[in-house]
Amino acid sequence: MISIENVSKSFVLHNQGTAEIPVMQGASLTVSAGECVALVGASGAGKSTLMRMIYGNYLTASGRIMVGDVDVARAAPREIIQLRRRTLGYVSQFLRVVPRVSTLDVVAEPLLATGTDADAARTQAETLLTRLNIPQRLWALSPTTFSGGEQQRVNIARGFAFPYPALLLDEPTASLDPTNRATVLAMIAEAKTRGAAIIGIFHDHAARDEICDRQFDMTKFTMGPAA
Amino acid sequence: MSDYNFAYLDEQTKRMIRRAILKGLAIPGYQVPFASREMPMPYGWGTGGVQVSAAVLTPDDTFKVIDQGADDTTNAVSIRRFFQKTAGVAVTEATSEASVIQTRHRIPEQDLRADQILVYQVPIPEPLRFLEPSEVETRKMHALEEYGLMHVKLYEDISQHGDIATAYAYPVKVEGRYVMDPSPIPKFDNPKLEMAGIQLFGAGREQRIYAIPPYTQVVSLDFDDYPFQPTKADHACDLCGAEDSYLDELIVDDAGGRMFMCSDTDYCATRRKQGHVGAQGVPYKEDAA
Amino acid sequence: MTPLLQVETIAKFYGSRIGCADVSFDLYPGEVMGIVGESGSGKSTLLNCLAGHLTPDRGAVRFDTRAQGLRDTITMSEPERRMLGRTDWAFVHQHARDGLRMNVSAGGNVGERLMAVNARHYGDIRNEAIDWLGRVEITEDRIDDRPTAFSGGMQQRLQIARNLVTGPRLVFMDEPTGGLDVSVQARLLDLLRGLVREMNLSAIIVTHDLAVVRLLADRLMVMKDGHVIETGLTDQVLDDPQHAYTQLLVSSVLQV
């Protein structure tokens, strides 16, 4: 489902003496449907960078990143938008939403964007929020005022609302209490069962060992000074 | 005869105005710009109508002037005398005897014939002006037949008053093409715009002439669910008893007493001569004022 | 899929000074594109060239018309272009008073475009106006008020309703949230996002506010000195900017 071939990446900082910072070279990785792979390596090894490259958030200097039949490294913006809408989900560490939009609508949005009717999308969002223990009295409020853990759970609910065939998870269990952590791990397991190809970053080693089929060590592809 | 050129204006000016009139007749409802002259009267007193009348009058014509339907108001009397003095034409108060009728704010009750010309005095010729202040833009809207804005005005009327409250200068569409301001005639007169006579409109200050040729289709704008309705006071004339004419309301004392009478004085007088008597009228006498 | 708008090497000069030059892009149905840059970068000139308010000196702007497919809007006749302007296109001005008739009621403002395409039933026009006022969160009891009685945010929402009532396919927006309070901006942005999705609108939004494009735009074009210096997915351009100027622009935003 996800096939990364020989990708490299560097940052050029024009306003800081045109410093070129190479961060990755020659990374290759394949993830099949129903498989969960953990990216590992020290902080600065480029785990988040690779994940952002797969999502099209960072440009890829060379190599191929196939998600389904789209090469993210070369795809036009509208192809990536389409890919993100129906194929590739991403649960980032931080929730980024329009202020003043209710939590329920934030979670329902990926469904609305793919043409689910409003009522069905809201029902699905309610189910997810209930499962992740977000109290009902918060649903009508914007998540921007929530605690870190609550925001993280809203983010997860949103990321799991649509059944994407490919999923990127950046620290999905960070800042969660044991109950919610177990719920999230169960949701990831369910996604695997329905055939999703998953790439994740987990600092929570117990969670990583429980849910991931294998690990991919970024360190050997890292060139940066932080390696 | 006086020392004036016939009908005051010089021949070249009259030719220029006639060309504008002919163009206006060729493009019904289209506002033709013309080089309006200074006339010996203030703007607003009918300088546009006077110039059009001067351009169409011939020595054989019989001229009539009405102001709000009346032959005997200051404005009407002044203009009538002006052409008596500068053109030496015959004048009349009888609609049927006139060959050229200059009017302010009315169409005579009596149907005009094919050999008669009705000249309107127009203060603001541009029907779109109230909503679109730019002349460049309004000319473009006419050119491209973009007339949605005209209905916005009618929409505003209904939303504010529950009905189309525009009672005069009610916009019309001429021959399915140009939207035109018929000058501030009451909308009661709008159906009469389809007539046998020639209708010419002159706006002196705004320097525009436009025209409706005989038997031209003139449709008052409206909504499907708020159709155009010509309205008049729900009364009969208190002098002649006419129920089909446009009425003026007159306060006659300090106690709120009032009467309604035909705004078209010739129409009223003619009926009274024929023996019609209204509720407050007295039988017609030849020398009655 | 046919692009809704195909822009080819557009250039506009003011005398010897460049307004914008060499701008080309395709916009597809449902796409929202942001154009950012500082004052004088040519983004408003470009928007006005695309919307037919300015005639470019070079290039082509092809729009996928309903009847005849792709047509160059620069060379088409003025009546055709103006017809597009009140049917398939919408233009949301920064200042609501430029896009509204301030002496006409809210209902009349919304109804005008309907009447311009020959709606002649008062009751229908009014119902449509009420419906649209509701969609931009203006209550029915304000329908007969003039925009002068509205707050800035309400005026802007009214302008949007007035523009969208004829179901356009392409919306041009010039700093749609400029000059509004931050809380009012947020509500407007949310509203616009919803409408774009529901109506499958394509939009081109000119702004200098990077937060606005992050929330509204799928794609981004960065302009400087009349030229496009960087394009791409909005989040990619903002998070991984390539051009020196874009890096400067992104790093200059105050974090809150």
Side-chain angles (χ1 to χ4, degrees):
Chain A
M1 185 66 212
I2 302 174
S3 171
I4 299 165
E5 295 166 32
N6 199 24
V7 300
S8 60
K9 170 74 185 165
S10 59
F11 292 108
V12 179
L13 305 178
H14 293 283
N15 299 300
Q16 293 170 33
T18 317
E20 179 165 358
I21 305 170
V23 289
M24 192 184 301
Q25 189 155 46
S28 297
L29 167 68
T30 301
V31 183
S32 315
E35 196 180 18
C36 179
V37 174
L39 301 183
V40 298
S43 180
K47 304 186 293 293
S48 288
T49 299
L50 179 61
M51 206 165 252
R52 285 167 170 247
M53 285 159 67
I54 299 167
Y55 197 58
N57 180 228
Y58 281 2
L59 288 182
T60 300
S62 63
R64 302 205 317 161
I65 299 180
M66 300 301 296
V67 178
D69 52 7
V70 175
D71 181 0
V72 177
R74 260 163 212 77
R78 66 189 183 90
E79 295 174 294
I80 297 181
I81 290 163
Q82 199 54 34
L83 185 78
R84 288 177 179 183
R85 201 165 282 165
R86 303 194 162 270
T87 309
L88 183 62
Y90 179 39
V91 177
S92 65
Q93 279 179 277
F94 304 101
L95 183 64
R96 190 168 237 154
V97 294
V98 184
R100 305 186 25 163
V101 176
S102 77
T103 297
L104 201 60
D105 288 341
V106 165
V107 175
E109 201 196 352
L111 290 167
L112 295 173
T114 45
T116 308
D117 76 67
D119 285 343
R122 290 236 163 77
T123 307
Q124 167 81 342
E126 285 171 10
T127 309
L128 282 159
L129 288 169
T130 306
R131 190 169 177 199
L132 286 157
N133 294 309
I134 302 291
Q136 191 168 353
R137 62 188 160 79
L138 298 181
W139 293 357
L141 306 178
S142 164
T144 46
T145 55
F146 292 4
S147 72
E150 283 164 346
Q151 288 201 6
Q152 176 66 349
R153 279 177 277 145
V154 172
N155 210 9
I156 289 165
R158 177 183 163 88
F160 281 82
F162 184 82
Y164 301 103
L167 262 179
L168 304 172
L169 307 174
D170 194 350
E171 299 278 14
T173 56
S175 66
L176 294 184
D177 60 68
T179 318
N180 287 314
R181 177 175 169 279
T183 305
V184 171
L185 290 177
M187 286 168 70
I188 298 172
E190 285 163 22
K192 279 175 67 180
T193 308
R194 68 167 165 80
I198 300 171
I199 295 179
I201 300 173
F202 299 85
H203 282 135
D204 174 352
H205 290 199
R208 183 173 76 198
D209 296 342
E210 181 183 334
I211 201 74
C212 295
D213 301 297
R214 57 195 166 92
Q215 299 187 357
F216 180 71
D217 188 354
M218 292 295 300
T219 316
K220 52 191 167 183
F221 309 106
T222 307
M223 338 244 316
Chain B
M1 181 71 192
S2 65
D3 294 332
Y4 293 105
N5 189 41
F6 179 76
Y8 186 76
L9 292 174
D10 63 89
E11 294 304 313
Q12 289 304 325
T13 297
K14 286 193 281 186
R15 280 187 184 181
M16 175 270 292
I17 294 172
R18 286 177 198 138
R19 279 196 294 271
I21 292 170
L22 287 172
K23 183 169 179 181
L25 285 165
I27 316 170
Y30 171 72
Q31 299 168 48
V32 185
F34 80 108
S36 179
R37 297 291 193 250
E38 289 293 329
M39 297 303 287
M41 62 183 70
Y43 289 126
W45 287 61
T47 52
V50 165
Q51 290 180 77
V52 171
S53 293
V56 298
L57 277 175
T58 66
D60 299 334
D61 273 316
T62 303
F63 191 54
K64 168 183 163 84
V65 186
I66 50 174
D67 176 4
Q68 313 241 29
D71 292 89
D72 53 3
T73 58
T74 314
N75 196 224
V77 170
S78 302
I79 292 172
R80 199 163 58 226
R81 285 189 185 153
F82 176 75
F83 282 112
Q84 272 182 301
K85 185 170 182 181
T86 61
V89 290
V91 296
T92 181
E93 293 191 8
T95 302
S96 59
E97 290 169 16
S99 54
V100 176
I101 303 170
Q102 182 170 334
T103 178
R104 173 174 174 269
H105 301 189
R106 272 315 307 276
I107 296 175
E109 301 292 352
Q110 187 185 331
D111 286 343
L112 297 191
R113 300 182 308 270
D115 60 351
Q116 293 179 300
I117 297 175
L118 186 58
V119 178
Y120 295 77
Q121 302 171 202
V122 181
I124 299 172
E126 179 50 72
L128 300 162
R129 178 63 69 241
F130 289 99
L131 291 163
E132 179 52 65
S134 158
E135 173 74 13
V136 172
E137 187 62 21
T138 53
R139 297 195 77 173
K140 194 163 274 180
M141 290 160 94
H142 282 295
L144 304 180
E145 267 189 281
E146 292 180 3
Y147 288 133
L149 196 55
M150 213 58 251
H151 275 85
V152 172
K153 186 170 186 299
L154 302 179
Y155 170 94
E156 291 290 280
D157 256 12
I158 302 172
S159 68
Q160 280 162 31
H161 307 289
D163 215 327
I164 298 179
T166 300
Y168 61 91
Y170 192 104
V172 295
K173 193 166 205 179
V174 182
E175 201 64 18
R177 177 59 181 84
Y178 283 95
V179 165
M180 188 194 93
D181 183 326
S183 87
I185 58 171
K187 64 178 170 183
F188 173 81
D189 283 346
N190 271 26
K192 287 188 275 181
L193 289 162
E194 292 186 345
M195 62 160 71
I198 292 173
Q199 298 172 82
L200 306 175
F201 299 77
R205 182 183 51 213
E206 304 287 326
Q207 310 194 328
R208 293 289 184 275
I209 285 171
Y210 51 101
I212 304 177
Y215 304 110
T216 299
Q217 183 200 54
V218 181
V219 178
S220 302
L221 301 181
D222 61 4
F223 287 104
D224 297 345
D225 46 346
Y226 285 84
F228 170 78
Q229 280 171 334
T231 52
K232 64 183 274 286
D234 190 17
H235 250 272
C237 173
D238 283 325
L239 294 179
C240 76
E243 295 182 353
D244 58 354
S245 68
Y246 191 72
L247 302 175
D248 288 336
E249 185 178 356
L250 200 66
I251 306 295
V252 291
D253 56 32
D254 289 343
R258 56 186 188 163
M259 64 186 292
F260 290 89
M261 49 202 262
C262 295
S263 103
D264 185 336
T265 51
D266 172 60
Y267 183 72
C268 200
T270 305
R271 279 179 53 85
R272 287 165 65 206
K273 271 184 215 167
Q274 289 164 355
H276 298 281
V277 180
Q280 298 181 43
V282 290
Y284 180 81
K285 287 200 288 280
E286 195 55 50
D287 57 342
Chain C
M1 185 162 51
T2 316
L4 186 66
L5 192 72
Q6 209 173 46
V7 179
E8 202 177 286
T9 58
I10 280 290
K12 172 76 184 170
F13 301 95
Y14 299 107
S16 59
R17 201 163 60 77
I18 294 174
C20 62
D22 278 332
V23 180
S24 302
F25 66 88
D26 289 347
L27 187 75
Y28 286 82
E31 268 188 334
V32 178
M33 191 174 80
I35 305 177
V36 296
E38 59 200 10
S39 304
S41 61
K43 56 192 195 300
S44 292
T45 296
L46 174 60
L47 190 73
N48 284 312
C49 284
L50 301 179
H53 298 166
L54 283 176
T55 308
D57 296 311
R58 277 209 293 273
V61 177
R62 293 187 201 92
F63 179 75
D64 184 19
T65 60
R66 288 176 206 242
Q68 295 164 286
L70 283 175
R71 295 274 319 275
D72 188 348
T73 63
I74 297 168
T75 53
M76 72 168 47
S77 70
E78 187 175 15
E80 288 179 290
R81 192 162 52 239
R82 284 173 68 109
M83 181 57 109
L84 279 180
R86 56 178 196 271
T87 53
D88 265 350
W89 292 355
F91 198 104
V92 177
H93 295 262
Q94 173 176 7
H95 300 293
R97 59 179 59 251
D98 296 334
L100 292 174
R101 291 191 190 278
M102 299 305 280
N103 56 354
V104 168
S105 69
N109 263 292
V110 176
E112 181 177 344
R113 272 172 78 113
L114 295 171
M115 293 181 247
V117 290
N118 292 322
R120 290 292 179 264
H121 189 283
Y122 174 84
D124 293 351
I125 292 166
R126 196 165 171 86
N127 286 336
E128 187 86 349
I130 289 169
D131 177 49
W132 266 97
L133 290 176
R135 291 169 78 164
V136 298
E137 300 166 26
I138 295 174
T139 51
E140 185 179 337
D141 59 355
R142 303 300 301 271
I143 188 170
D144 294 328
D145 292 345
R146 291 185 175 184
T148 41
F150 288 4
S151 68
M154 274 177 86
Q155 287 183 4
Q156 202 58 303
R157 279 180 275 131
L158 177 61
Q159 196 195 171
I160 288 163
R162 168 181 161 89
N163 267 286
L164 298 189
V165 66
T166 47
R169 293 186 292 154
L170 177 58
V171 187
F172 302 100
M173 299 190 215
D174 190 3
E175 302 276 7
T177 61
L180 297 177
D181 290 342
V182 179
S183 61
V184 178
Q185 277 190 20
R187 187 171 171 194
L188 192 68
L189 287 174
D190 179 38
L191 181 77
L192 283 172
R193 264 166 72 104
L195 291 171
V196 162
R197 185 178 57 217
E198 281 166 33
M199 302 176 71
N200 196 33
L201 292 175
S202 300
I204 297 178
I205 302 173
V206 159
T207 180
H208 62 267
D209 189 337
L210 298 183
V212 168
V213 288
R214 192 184 275 277
L215 292 174
L216 276 182
D218 304 310
R219 292 164 54 194
L220 198 57
M221 212 157 84
V222 184
M223 291 192 72
K224 182 172 171 28
D225 301 331
H227 292 271
V228 175
I229 54 164
E230 185 160 357
T231 62
L233 269 182
T234 301
D235 58 295
Q236 179 264 304
V237 173
L238 294 180
D239 294 339
D240 187 16
Q242 306 294 307
H243 191 280
Y245 175 74
T246 316
Q247 293 186 354
L248 186 67
L249 199 67
V250 171
S251 64
S252 303
V253 176
L254 294 173
Q255 300 288 331
V256 283

